[in-house]
Amino acid sequence: MNTRVIPIVDLRQAPAFGLQGDLQREQPTGLLGDALGRPLHDLRISVTDRCNFRCVYCMPKDVFDQQYNFLPHSSLLSFEEITRVARQFVAHGVHKIRLTGGEPLLRKHIERLVGMLAALRTPDGREIDLTLTTNGTLLRQKAQALKDAGLKRVTVSLDSLDDAGFRLMNDVDFPVARVLDGIDAAMAAGLGPVKVNMVVKKGVNDDQILPMARHFKGTPVILRFIEYMDVGSSNGWRMDEVLPSREVVQRIAAELPLVEVDPNYTGETAERWRYVDGGGEIGVISSVTQAFCQDCSRARLSTEGQVYTCLFGSEGHDLRAIVRGSDDDALLAGAIARLWRGRGDRYSELRSEQPARPLRKVEMSYIGG
Ligand code: SAM
Ligand code: SF4
Ligand code: SF4
C-alpha cells in the first residue's frame, strides 16, 4: 500500500511573532516601504478557514477531516474588527483588497463586510479596488447582493470542465454546470470582467487546459492558469507535478494562436496573452517557475487577525491582540508599519536555491490565497 506521510504542523498554535516589545504609535503617510523597498499596495483578507470543497492541493481530505479543528467563531475577527484593521492598511497605501478564505461566501452576511470595506477611501480620496475569490458554488445566490454592497469583481476557481475531472481536483461531488451558472450570475450582476483561475496539476487535470481555453475563448471571461504551488505543509507537493506555464501557453498556442500583451501595472502576477483572432485574453501565473517576489506588495490577514507578509510564511504577526486590547488606531498603524518595514520575504526566488524547503508553512485556507 502506498502511504503518504503528511508533515503537518498546526502553525495557528505557534506564538505570534514580530510585534513584541513596546509598540509605537504612528500616523500613516500612505508611503510605506519594506526592507527591499517594496510598497504595501494589496491586502488579502481571509474571512473563514472553512470550505465546502476539499481541493487536493489546498485542503486534502485526509488532513481536513471530521477531526480537524477549525477555528471557533470567537477567534474570528468580526466585520467591525476587519474593517478597522483594513482602514489602517488603506491609510498606509493599500488600494486593492481581495476577500478570500477558505470559501469566503460561506461566511454569513459577507455582503455586510463588503459594504463596510467599500466605504473605505485612500488617503487621496479614491475608492478601493474590492474583489473576492470564490469556488463559485454560492455565487448564483450571492452575486447581486455582493454587487449592490459595492464589490467590484470576482475571480472564480474552476479546475476542470468535466465532472469527473472536477471531482479529482476538489474531492467532492459538485456539478461543473453550477459553477458555470455562478459565473453567468456574476457577469449578469456586473461583477466583471470575471476571471477564472485554474490550478494545473500535471497528470491530474492538464488534459483540461485546451477544453477550458476553447470554452472561455470568445467570452468576456479571462481564464488564468496557475502553477501548482508548494503552499502549506499538507498537500504533498512535488515539483514533477508542476506543469510550467510556458508549456501551458505552448499547448494552447499550437491550436489557438496567441500573442503576448503588456502587463496592466508593475507587480501584476499574471503574464497576459491574447488570441490573435480577437477571441479574448488568457493569463498564466508562474509562481513556481518564474518568481515575482521583487514586485510583491501584498500582505495577508488571516481569519483570526494574524498578518503574514508572505504566502509561504511560517509566522504571523498578531494584530487581533492589539485590536482587542486598545481603541488607539495609531497603535495599530504603528504595528503594521513596523512589520512591513521589517519585511524581507522572497520565498519563491529562494525556492530554487533551497532544495530542502522548510516544513513549517502556514496553510493557504487559513491565510487566504
Ligand atoms: N475558496 C476560494 C477559491 O477556491 O477560489 C478562495 C480561497 S482559495 C485558497 C484561493 C485560490 O488559491 C484558488 O484560486 C485556488 O485554486 C488557489 N490555490 C489553493 N491552493 C493552491 C496551490 N497549492 N497551488 C496553486 N494555487 C492554489
Ligand atoms: Fe476550498 Fe478554495 Fe481551498 Fe479549494 S482552493 S479547498 S475551494 S479554499
Ligand atoms: Fe510575495 Fe512571498 Fe510569493 Fe514572493 S513568495 S511573491 S514574497 S508571497
Side-chain angles (χ1 to χ4, degrees):
M1 200 174 100
N2 207 351
T3 312
R4 184 152 70 92
V5 178
I6 297 158
I8 187 157
V9 186
D10 191 348
L11 293 174
R12 300 170 309 168
Q13 313 296 326
F17 134 104
L19 292 174
Q20 293 95 340
D22 288 340
L23 282 172
Q24 303 288 324
R25 302 177 73 249
E26 183 163 334
Q27 292 305 327
T29 60
L31 298 167
L32 204 54
D34 75 4
L36 303 175
R38 297 168 295 187
L40 172 56
H41 283 163
D42 305 69
L43 178 64
R44 297 207 171 172
I45 303 175
S46 173
V47 294
T48 177
D49 60 340
R50 291 164 199 256
C51 189
N52 51 348
F53 280 8
R54 285 291 176 272
C55 299
V56 291
Y57 50 78
C58 178
M59 296 179 75
K61 238 180 201 165
D62 45 3
V63 174
F64 295 87
D65 58 9
Q66 302 263 323
Q67 273 70 51
Y68 187 80
N69 288 320
F70 288 99
L71 296 170
H73 198 261
S74 58
S75 292
L76 272 50
L77 290 188
S78 68
F79 290 167
E80 287 70 20
E81 288 169 336
I82 292 175
T83 307
R84 193 179 150 208
V85 172
R87 184 177 292 114
Q88 294 313 310
F89 271 99
V90 170
H92 271 308
V94 163
H95 48 74
K96 184 169 178 186
I97 294 183
R98 176 174 298 279
L99 297 177
T100 177
E103 173 46 43
L105 299 188
L106 288 181
R107 179 90 185 244
K108 279 207 182 83
H109 311 301
I110 182 75
E111 57 280 7
R112 201 165 76 74
L113 175 65
V114 168
M116 291 161 77
L117 295 174
L120 298 177
R121 291 292 175 271
T122 63
D124 57 359
R126 283 176 297 141
E127 289 186 3
I128 52 163
D129 186 16
L130 184 59
T131 65
L132 177 142
T133 302
T134 172
N135 61 24
T137 51
L138 295 169
L139 252 186
R140 167 61 64 188
Q141 293 94 302
K142 290 276 188 180
Q144 194 60 54
L146 292 167
K147 173 69 183 176
D148 294 346
L151 191 72
K152 303 256 194 259
R153 282 173 288 110
V154 290
T155 297
V156 182
S157 303
L158 178 62
D159 297 331
S160 172
L161 270 186
D162 89 46
D163 283 338
F166 197 35
R167 191 178 198 295
L168 281 181
M169 291 299 271
N170 64 28
D171 220 358
V172 297
D173 281 312
F174 195 88
V176 172
R178 282 183 51 198
V179 178
L180 295 175
D181 181 56
I183 293 171
D184 287 344
M187 289 198 286
L191 289 169
V194 173
K195 291 178 183 156
V196 167
N197 278 356
M198 171 177 172
V199 174
V200 180
K201 215 175 156 188
K202 196 167 159 181
V204 181
N205 71 334
D206 57 325
D207 62 332
Q208 288 293 308
I209 292 171
L210 270 162
M212 289 279 283
R214 287 184 205 117
H215 181 86
F216 289 109
K217 181 168 180 281
T219 75
V221 168
I222 300 172
L223 174 61
R224 304 185 319 166
F225 299 90
I226 306 183
E227 285 177 354
Y228 168 44
M229 287 186 286
D230 51 337
V231 283
S233 308
S234 60
N235 63 12
W237 182 88
R238 293 201 328 252
M239 186 66 202
D240 60 7
E241 291 175 323
V242 178
L243 186 76
S245 292
R246 69 177 175 305
E247 280 189 45
V248 172
V249 172
Q250 277 163 7
R251 282 196 204 181
I252 298 172
E255 178 182 317
L256 309 165
L258 290 167
V259 60
E260 197 166 357
V261 186
D262 287 339
N264 284 315
Y265 55 89
T266 312
E268 188 172 35
T269 47
E271 195 182 284
R272 301 167 61 206
W273 296 78
R274 69 176 165 75
Y275 294 109
V276 171
D277 68 2
E281 181 177 326
I282 64 155
V284 287
I285 303 183
S286 318
S287 338
V288 178
T289 60
Q290 263 191 304
F292 35 77
C293 302
Q294 62 188 29
D295 293 322
C296 181
S297 55
R298 197 167 304 137
R300 292 180 159 81
L301 181 65
S302 83
T303 318
E304 54 179 347
Q306 301 258 326
V307 174
Y308 285 80
T309 54
C310 178
L311 179 55
F312 299 93
S314 54
E315 273 117 357
H317 309 259
D318 184 15
L319 287 189
R320 189 184 61 188
I322 302 170
V323 169
R324 296 195 175 165
S326 164
D327 287 337
D328 188 351
D329 281 344
L331 207 57
L332 197 51
I336 295 168
R338 179 149 130 200
L339 67 89
W340 194 258
R341 287 196 189 103
R343 173 185 190 246
D345 304 287
R346 49 189 200 99
Y347 177 90
S348 287
E349 283 181 355
L350 298 174
R351 183 191 280 110
S352 50
E353 299 162 26
Q354 277 180 339
R357 295 169 302 116
L359 290 178
R360 286 167 55 91
K361 281 185 281 146
V362 73
E363 295 300 320
M364 196 154 178
S365 51
Y366 171 69
I367 55 168

